[in-house]
Amino acid sequence: MLHTSDFDFELPAELIASHPLHDRDASRMLVVDGENIHDKHIRDFLDYLKPGDVVVFNNSRVIPGRFDASGYEITLHTAVDDKTWWGLCKKFNKINIDDTLTMDDDTTITVVDKDFESGLLLKFNCDNVFDVLNRVGKMPLPPYMKREEETEDRERYQTVYAQPLGSMAAPTAGLHFTDELLQEIENRGAKIVKITLHVGAGTWMPVKTEDLSQHKMHSEWCCITPEQADIINNATRVIAVGTTSMRTLESAHQLMLKNIGNLGRVKYNRVMPICQTTDIFITPGYEFGAVDVLLTNFHLPKSTLFMLVSAFAGLENMKDAYKHAVDEKYRFFSYGDCCLLFKKNKEE
């Protein structure tokens, strides 16, 4: 039985990327295919494509969801409705239910509920929450960057194809792609599908228990339309760009398995349409049914995301790959480099 400590590794602090490279498509790409490791660049991603491939991106847009209110720093992570959000606050214990907090533009917020895991449930007393956040909010950069938002983050901490607002962190594997690179994917005979998962606490919340079965994943909203499901189901291979795309696709696969007896003559071989929340937690032993190849950034030690990639490509393979990445001074985490992972064989 695997434990959280099995997913630990050494990472020198100087390899954590605190700023993006000047060009989106300048990042390095570590290719991991079983025990084979190759040093490439993101532009080489095109060489791994085949006609009939479907490349799946997460098109969720990051909200400037970090702000100050009555002296407290709050970071929103999950929407309940248009005006009610869950948010994390470092001084959680000093705030009470029914308290009123005031933002920098004098917008008031009512504390509706509290939860140790999810933080504060906040109701915004305004017409449009996003308008308020655009005025006074900051991009919610991960704490390991150890800096405040800078002007370039408004553009660089979004993918070029970001559309529906709702994420409290970027789907970072997509940050490497330019409009030109996207066009070239289709020129190579592959199709592009842009699904949605609004990144919340489920994606980045640290694992606090040694026993993996005791970790509670927060739910995140995701969507694959019927039209998108048709394209995915007719793919020769499915290449997920990012762990959030992966989790959405595999959630849709699990939904398909759950409903297989009710599908009648409708044929699904990978996914069925999905528009709901997911709390899927993928660890070694999981059988992947939707995704064949994964492009993803490098992840934190002992995180649910490192567990996911270890389930996909093999724990020992990923430990070897990360050691190689450290030795070769790859850049880690959200603004860092990426790796292209091929699904391990069952016997590995």
Side-chain angles (χ1 to χ4, degrees), residues 158-185:
Q158 302 279 15
T159 61
V160 298
Y161 48 82
Q163 289 185 335
L165 282 162
S167 282
M168 59 87 63
T172 55
L175 297 180
H176 306 285
F177 288 84
T178 62
D179 290 326
E180 293 75 18
L181 196 52
L182 293 171
Q183 182 59 56
E184 193 58 36
I185 289 173

PDB file of all heavy atoms in Angstrom, residues 158-185:
ATOM      1  N   GLN A 158      -2.760  33.298 -17.880  1.00  0.00           N
ATOM      2  CA  GLN A 158      -3.923  32.817 -18.612  1.00  0.00           C
ATOM      3  C   GLN A 158      -3.423  32.098 -19.858  1.00  0.00           C
ATOM      4  O   GLN A 158      -2.423  32.494 -20.455  1.00  0.00           O
ATOM      5  CB  GLN A 158      -4.821  33.981 -19.071  1.00  0.00           C
ATOM      6  CG  GLN A 158      -5.356  34.881 -17.987  1.00  0.00           C
ATOM      7  CD  GLN A 158      -6.578  34.298 -17.283  1.00  0.00           C
ATOM      8  OE1 GLN A 158      -6.872  33.118 -17.407  1.00  0.00           O
ATOM      9  NE2 GLN A 158      -7.282  35.130 -16.550  1.00  0.00           N
ATOM     10  N   THR A 159      -4.160  31.075 -20.271  1.00  0.00           N
ATOM     11  CA  THR A 159      -3.882  30.476 -21.578  1.00  0.00           C
ATOM     12  C   THR A 159      -4.406  31.416 -22.658  1.00  0.00           C
ATOM     13  O   THR A 159      -5.286  32.238 -22.406  1.00  0.00           O
ATOM     14  CB  THR A 159      -4.567  29.107 -21.707  1.00  0.00           C
ATOM     15  OG1 THR A 159      -5.985  29.272 -21.594  1.00  0.00           O
ATOM     16  CG2 THR A 159      -4.072  28.152 -20.619  1.00  0.00           C
ATOM     17  N   VAL A 160      -3.882  31.288 -23.881  1.00  0.00           N
ATOM     18  CA  VAL A 160      -4.312  32.175 -24.968  1.00  0.00           C
ATOM     19  C   VAL A 160      -5.734  31.862 -25.405  1.00  0.00           C
ATOM     20  O   VAL A 160      -6.362  32.666 -26.102  1.00  0.00           O
ATOM     21  CB  VAL A 160      -3.356  32.095 -26.180  1.00  0.00           C
ATOM     22  CG1 VAL A 160      -1.954  32.550 -25.801  1.00  0.00           C
ATOM     23  CG2 VAL A 160      -3.329  30.694 -26.783  1.00  0.00           C
ATOM     24  N   TYR A 161      -6.244  30.701 -25.014  1.00  0.00           N
ATOM     25  CA  TYR A 161      -7.595  30.289 -25.417  1.00  0.00           C
ATOM     26  C   TYR A 161      -8.589  30.321 -24.253  1.00  0.00           C
ATOM     27  O   TYR A 161      -9.707  29.797 -24.368  1.00  0.00           O
ATOM     28  CB  TYR A 161      -7.556  28.874 -26.020  1.00  0.00           C
ATOM     29  CG  TYR A 161      -6.778  27.896 -25.181  1.00  0.00           C
ATOM     30  CD1 TYR A 161      -7.346  27.266 -24.081  1.00  0.00           C
ATOM     31  CD2 TYR A 161      -5.452  27.621 -25.472  1.00  0.00           C
ATOM     32  CE1 TYR A 161      -6.625  26.395 -23.298  1.00  0.00           C
ATOM     33  CE2 TYR A 161      -4.713  26.748 -24.698  1.00  0.00           C
ATOM     34  CZ  TYR A 161      -5.303  26.129 -23.614  1.00  0.00           C
ATOM     35  OH  TYR A 161      -4.578  25.266 -22.827  1.00  0.00           O
ATOM     36  N   ALA A 162      -8.213  30.924 -23.132  1.00  0.00           N
ATOM     37  CA  ALA A 162      -9.087  30.953 -21.951  1.00  0.00           C
ATOM     38  C   ALA A 162     -10.385  31.684 -22.256  1.00  0.00           C
ATOM     39  O   ALA A 162     -10.378  32.762 -22.856  1.00  0.00           O
ATOM     40  CB  ALA A 162      -8.356  31.622 -20.790  1.00  0.00           C
ATOM     41  N   GLN A 163     -11.505  31.123 -21.820  1.00  0.00           N
ATOM     42  CA  GLN A 163     -12.808  31.740 -22.066  1.00  0.00           C
ATOM     43  C   GLN A 163     -13.677  31.824 -20.807  1.00  0.00           C
ATOM     44  O   GLN A 163     -13.770  32.888 -20.214  1.00  0.00           O
ATOM     45  CB  GLN A 163     -13.523  31.003 -23.202  1.00  0.00           C
ATOM     46  CG  GLN A 163     -12.889  31.258 -24.566  1.00  0.00           C
ATOM     47  CD  GLN A 163     -13.692  30.616 -25.697  1.00  0.00           C
ATOM     48  OE1 GLN A 163     -14.406  29.648 -25.501  1.00  0.00           O
ATOM     49  NE2 GLN A 163     -13.558  31.163 -26.889  1.00  0.00           N
ATOM     50  N   PRO A 164     -14.324  30.734 -20.385  1.00  0.00           N
ATOM     51  CA  PRO A 164     -15.267  30.883 -19.265  1.00  0.00           C
ATOM     52  C   PRO A 164     -14.541  31.156 -17.952  1.00  0.00           C
ATOM     53  O   PRO A 164     -13.613  30.443 -17.571  1.00  0.00           O
ATOM     54  CB  PRO A 164     -16.009  29.545 -19.228  1.00  0.00           C
ATOM     55  CG  PRO A 164     -15.065  28.572 -19.860  1.00  0.00           C
ATOM     56  CD  PRO A 164     -14.302  29.345 -20.895  1.00  0.00           C
ATOM     57  N   LEU A 165     -14.942  32.203 -17.257  1.00  0.00           N
ATOM     58  CA  LEU A 165     -14.341  32.567 -15.982  1.00  0.00           C
ATOM     59  C   LEU A 165     -14.714  31.555 -14.900  1.00  0.00           C
ATOM     60  O   LEU A 165     -15.856  31.093 -14.850  1.00  0.00           O
ATOM     61  CB  LEU A 165     -14.821  33.958 -15.551  1.00  0.00           C
ATOM     62  CG  LEU A 165     -14.169  35.165 -16.222  1.00  0.00           C
ATOM     63  CD1 LEU A 165     -15.028  36.399 -16.022  1.00  0.00           C
ATOM     64  CD2 LEU A 165     -12.777  35.389 -15.637  1.00  0.00           C
ATOM     65  N   GLY A 166     -13.743  31.245 -14.026  1.00  0.00           N
ATOM     66  CA  GLY A 166     -14.103  30.389 -12.914  1.00  0.00           C
ATOM     67  C   GLY A 166     -12.970  29.727 -12.178  1.00  0.00           C
ATOM     68  O   GLY A 166     -13.191  29.116 -11.138  1.00  0.00           O
ATOM     69  N   SER A 167     -11.723  29.830 -12.656  1.00  0.00           N
ATOM     70  CA  SER A 167     -10.608  29.130 -12.014  1.00  0.00           C
ATOM     71  C   SER A 167      -9.871  30.020 -11.024  1.00  0.00           C
ATOM     72  O   SER A 167      -9.696  31.216 -11.246  1.00  0.00           O
ATOM     73  CB  SER A 167      -9.617  28.617 -13.067  1.00  0.00           C
ATOM     74  OG  SER A 167     -10.088  27.444 -13.685  1.00  0.00           O
ATOM     75  N   MET A 168      -9.417  29.401  -9.931  1.00  0.00           N
ATOM     76  CA  MET A 168      -8.602  30.138  -8.970  1.00  0.00           C
ATOM     77  C   MET A 168      -7.125  29.821  -9.149  1.00  0.00           C
ATOM     78  O   MET A 168      -6.285  30.265  -8.370  1.00  0.00           O
ATOM     79  CB  MET A 168      -9.057  29.828  -7.536  1.00  0.00           C
ATOM     80  CG  MET A 168      -8.986  28.380  -7.129  1.00  0.00           C
ATOM     81  SD  MET A 168      -7.393  27.886  -6.478  1.00  0.00           S
ATOM     82  CE  MET A 168      -7.311  28.903  -5.033  1.00  0.00           C
ATOM     83  N   ALA A 169      -6.794  29.047 -10.184  1.00  0.00           N
ATOM     84  CA  ALA A 169      -5.405  28.800 -10.583  1.00  0.00           C
ATOM     85  C   ALA A 169      -5.427  28.447 -12.055  1.00  0.00           C
ATOM     86  O   ALA A 169      -6.419  27.924 -12.571  1.00  0.00           O
ATOM     87  CB  ALA A 169      -4.795  27.660  -9.762  1.00  0.00           C
ATOM     88  N   ALA A 170      -4.334  28.719 -12.729  1.00  0.00           N
ATOM     89  CA  ALA A 170      -4.278  28.453 -14.165  1.00  0.00           C
ATOM     90  C   ALA A 170      -4.123  26.964 -14.429  1.00  0.00           C
ATOM     91  O   ALA A 170      -3.429  26.265 -13.683  1.00  0.00           O
ATOM     92  CB  ALA A 170      -3.112  29.208 -14.795  1.00  0.00           C
ATOM     93  N   PRO A 171      -4.749  26.453 -15.506  1.00  0.00           N
ATOM     94  CA  PRO A 171      -4.425  25.106 -16.010  1.00  0.00           C
ATOM     95  C   PRO A 171      -3.087  25.205 -16.738  1.00  0.00           C
ATOM     96  O   PRO A 171      -3.013  25.455 -17.940  1.00  0.00           O
ATOM     97  CB  PRO A 171      -5.593  24.784 -16.946  1.00  0.00           C
ATOM     98  CG  PRO A 171      -6.137  26.106 -17.374  1.00  0.00           C
ATOM     99  CD  PRO A 171      -5.824  27.097 -16.279  1.00  0.00           C
ATOM    100  N   THR A 172      -2.007  25.045 -15.995  1.00  0.00           N
ATOM    101  CA  THR A 172      -0.705  25.581 -16.405  1.00  0.00           C
ATOM    102  C   THR A 172      -0.059  24.880 -17.590  1.00  0.00           C
ATOM    103  O   THR A 172       0.798  25.473 -18.254  1.00  0.00           O
ATOM    104  CB  THR A 172       0.276  25.568 -15.219  1.00  0.00           C
ATOM    105  OG1 THR A 172       0.366  24.242 -14.685  1.00  0.00           O
ATOM    106  CG2 THR A 172      -0.194  26.513 -14.133  1.00  0.00           C
ATOM    107  N   ALA A 173      -0.419  23.636 -17.895  1.00  0.00           N
ATOM    108  CA  ALA A 173       0.173  22.982 -19.061  1.00  0.00           C
ATOM    109  C   ALA A 173      -0.175  23.727 -20.339  1.00  0.00           C
ATOM    110  O   ALA A 173       0.584  23.701 -21.309  1.00  0.00           O
ATOM    111  CB  ALA A 173      -0.294  21.531 -19.155  1.00  0.00           C
ATOM    112  N   GLY A 174      -1.304  24.421 -20.333  1.00  0.00           N
ATOM    113  CA  GLY A 174      -1.717  25.168 -21.514  1.00  0.00           C
ATOM    114  C   GLY A 174      -0.995  26.489 -21.700  1.00  0.00           C
ATOM    115  O   GLY A 174      -1.093  27.102 -22.771  1.00  0.00           O
ATOM    116  N   LEU A 175      -0.259  26.931 -20.687  1.00  0.00           N
ATOM    117  CA  LEU A 175       0.430  28.225 -20.786  1.00  0.00           C
ATOM    118  C   LEU A 175       1.538  28.217 -21.841  1.00  0.00           C
ATOM    119  O   LEU A 175       1.973  29.271 -22.287  1.00  0.00           O
ATOM    120  CB  LEU A 175       1.029  28.612 -19.427  1.00  0.00           C
ATOM    121  CG  LEU A 175       0.048  28.836 -18.273  1.00  0.00           C
ATOM    122  CD1 LEU A 175       0.810  29.203 -17.003  1.00  0.00           C
ATOM    123  CD2 LEU A 175      -0.965  29.922 -18.606  1.00  0.00           C
ATOM    124  N   HIS A 176       1.991  27.038 -22.255  1.00  0.00           N
ATOM    125  CA  HIS A 176       3.084  26.937 -23.224  1.00  0.00           C
ATOM    126  C   HIS A 176       2.619  27.154 -24.660  1.00  0.00           C
ATOM    127  O   HIS A 176       3.453  27.294 -25.561  1.00  0.00           O
ATOM    128  CB  HIS A 176       3.733  25.551 -23.133  1.00  0.00           C
ATOM    129  CG  HIS A 176       4.177  25.176 -21.760  1.00  0.00           C
ATOM    130  ND1 HIS A 176       5.299  25.705 -21.168  1.00  0.00           N
ATOM    131  CD2 HIS A 176       3.634  24.336 -20.837  1.00  0.00           C
ATOM    132  CE1 HIS A 176       5.443  25.199 -19.948  1.00  0.00           C
ATOM    133  NE2 HIS A 176       4.441  24.362 -19.733  1.00  0.00           N
ATOM    134  N   PHE A 177       1.310  27.176 -24.884  1.00  0.00           N
ATOM    135  CA  PHE A 177       0.800  27.170 -26.255  1.00  0.00           C
ATOM    136  C   PHE A 177       0.490  28.578 -26.754  1.00  0.00           C
ATOM    137  O   PHE A 177      -0.113  29.387 -26.059  1.00  0.00           O
ATOM    138  CB  PHE A 177      -0.450  26.293 -26.354  1.00  0.00           C
ATOM    139  CG  PHE A 177      -0.143  24.829 -26.253  1.00  0.00           C
ATOM    140  CD1 PHE A 177      -0.008  24.223 -25.004  1.00  0.00           C
ATOM    141  CD2 PHE A 177       0.054  24.061 -27.387  1.00  0.00           C
ATOM    142  CE1 PHE A 177       0.301  22.874 -24.897  1.00  0.00           C
ATOM    143  CE2 PHE A 177       0.365  22.709 -27.293  1.00  0.00           C
ATOM    144  CZ  PHE A 177       0.488  22.122 -26.044  1.00  0.00           C
ATOM    145  N   THR A 178       0.921  28.832 -27.999  1.00  0.00           N
ATOM    146  CA  THR A 178       0.608  30.076 -28.704  1.00  0.00           C
ATOM    147  C   THR A 178      -0.484  29.783 -29.730  1.00  0.00           C
ATOM    148  O   THR A 178      -0.774  28.619 -30.045  1.00  0.00           O
ATOM    149  CB  THR A 178       1.850  30.606 -29.432  1.00  0.00           C
ATOM    150  OG1 THR A 178       2.258  29.622 -30.407  1.00  0.00           O
ATOM    151  CG2 THR A 178       2.998  30.856 -28.459  1.00  0.00           C
ATOM    152  N   ASP A 179      -1.062  30.839 -30.304  1.00  0.00           N
ATOM    153  CA  ASP A 179      -2.043  30.651 -31.374  1.00  0.00           C
ATOM    154  C   ASP A 179      -1.423  29.912 -32.552  1.00  0.00           C
ATOM    155  O   ASP A 179      -2.074  29.067 -33.182  1.00  0.00           O
ATOM    156  CB  ASP A 179      -2.594  32.008 -31.828  1.00  0.00           C
ATOM    157  CG  ASP A 179      -3.479  32.661 -30.779  1.00  0.00           C
ATOM    158  OD1 ASP A 179      -4.170  31.919 -30.055  1.00  0.00           O
ATOM    159  OD2 ASP A 179      -3.469  33.901 -30.682  1.00  0.00           O
ATOM    160  N   GLU A 180      -0.172  30.220 -32.840  1.00  0.00           N
ATOM    161  CA  GLU A 180       0.512  29.571 -33.957  1.00  0.00           C
ATOM    162  C   GLU A 180       0.707  28.074 -33.695  1.00  0.00           C
ATOM    163  O   GLU A 180       0.539  27.244 -34.603  1.00  0.00           O
ATOM    164  CB  GLU A 180       1.872  30.237 -34.205  1.00  0.00           C
ATOM    165  CG  GLU A 180       1.801  31.664 -34.719  1.00  0.00           C
ATOM    166  CD  GLU A 180       1.422  32.684 -33.646  1.00  0.00           C
ATOM    167  OE1 GLU A 180       1.539  32.358 -32.436  1.00  0.00           O
ATOM    168  OE2 GLU A 180       0.981  33.787 -34.021  1.00  0.00           O
ATOM    169  N   LEU A 181       1.059  27.727 -32.475  1.00  0.00           N
ATOM    170  CA  LEU A 181       1.265  26.319 -32.133  1.00  0.00           C
ATOM    171  C   LEU A 181      -0.056  25.553 -32.195  1.00  0.00           C
ATOM    172  O   LEU A 181      -0.108  24.402 -32.658  1.00  0.00           O
ATOM    173  CB  LEU A 181       1.885  26.211 -30.737  1.00  0.00           C
ATOM    174  CG  LEU A 181       2.516  24.880 -30.318  1.00  0.00           C
ATOM    175  CD1 LEU A 181       3.512  24.390 -31.351  1.00  0.00           C
ATOM    176  CD2 LEU A 181       3.174  25.017 -28.962  1.00  0.00           C
ATOM    177  N   LEU A 182      -1.131  26.194 -31.770  1.00  0.00           N
ATOM    178  CA  LEU A 182      -2.447  25.565 -31.854  1.00  0.00           C
ATOM    179  C   LEU A 182      -2.834  25.299 -33.307  1.00  0.00           C
ATOM    180  O   LEU A 182      -3.364  24.232 -33.644  1.00  0.00           O
ATOM    181  CB  LEU A 182      -3.503  26.445 -31.183  1.00  0.00           C
ATOM    182  CG  LEU A 182      -3.376  26.615 -29.668  1.00  0.00           C
ATOM    183  CD1 LEU A 182      -4.355  27.674 -29.179  1.00  0.00           C
ATOM    184  CD2 LEU A 182      -3.618  25.297 -28.949  1.00  0.00           C
ATOM    185  N   GLN A 183      -2.556  26.271 -34.172  1.00  0.00           N
ATOM    186  CA  GLN A 183      -2.867  26.097 -35.584  1.00  0.00           C
ATOM    187  C   GLN A 183      -2.046  24.961 -36.183  1.00  0.00           C
ATOM    188  O   GLN A 183      -2.544  24.163 -36.988  1.00  0.00           O
ATOM    189  CB  GLN A 183      -2.598  27.395 -36.347  1.00  0.00           C
ATOM    190  CG  GLN A 183      -2.935  27.320 -37.842  1.00  0.00           C
ATOM    191  CD  GLN A 183      -4.385  26.976 -38.095  1.00  0.00           C
ATOM    192  OE1 GLN A 183      -5.289  27.661 -37.605  1.00  0.00           O
ATOM    193  NE2 GLN A 183      -4.633  25.916 -38.856  1.00  0.00           N
ATOM    194  N   GLU A 184      -0.802  24.851 -35.764  1.00  0.00           N
ATOM    195  CA  GLU A 184       0.072  23.811 -36.310  1.00  0.00           C
ATOM    196  C   GLU A 184      -0.380  22.418 -35.870  1.00  0.00           C
ATOM    197  O   GLU A 184      -0.187  21.436 -36.597  1.00  0.00           O
ATOM    198  CB  GLU A 184       1.518  24.066 -35.887  1.00  0.00           C
ATOM    199  CG  GLU A 184       2.545  23.238 -36.631  1.00  0.00           C
ATOM    200  CD  GLU A 184       2.508  23.438 -38.146  1.00  0.00           C
ATOM    201  OE1 GLU A 184       2.246  24.578 -38.601  1.00  0.00           O
ATOM    202  OE2 GLU A 184       2.737  22.444 -38.870  1.00  0.00           O
ATOM    203  N   ILE A 185      -0.979  22.322 -34.689  1.00  0.00           N
ATOM    204  CA  ILE A 185      -1.526  21.030 -34.250  1.00  0.00           C
ATOM    205  C   ILE A 185      -2.545  20.521 -35.261  1.00  0.00           C
ATOM    206  O   ILE A 185      -2.517  19.350 -35.681  1.00  0.00           O
ATOM    207  CB  ILE A 185      -2.170  21.158 -32.853  1.00  0.00           C
ATOM    208  CG1 ILE A 185      -1.090  21.355 -31.784  1.00  0.00           C
ATOM    209  CG2 ILE A 185      -3.026  19.940 -32.526  1.00  0.00           C
ATOM    210  CD1 ILE A 185      -1.640  21.660 -30.402  1.00  0.00           C
TER     211      ILE A 185
END
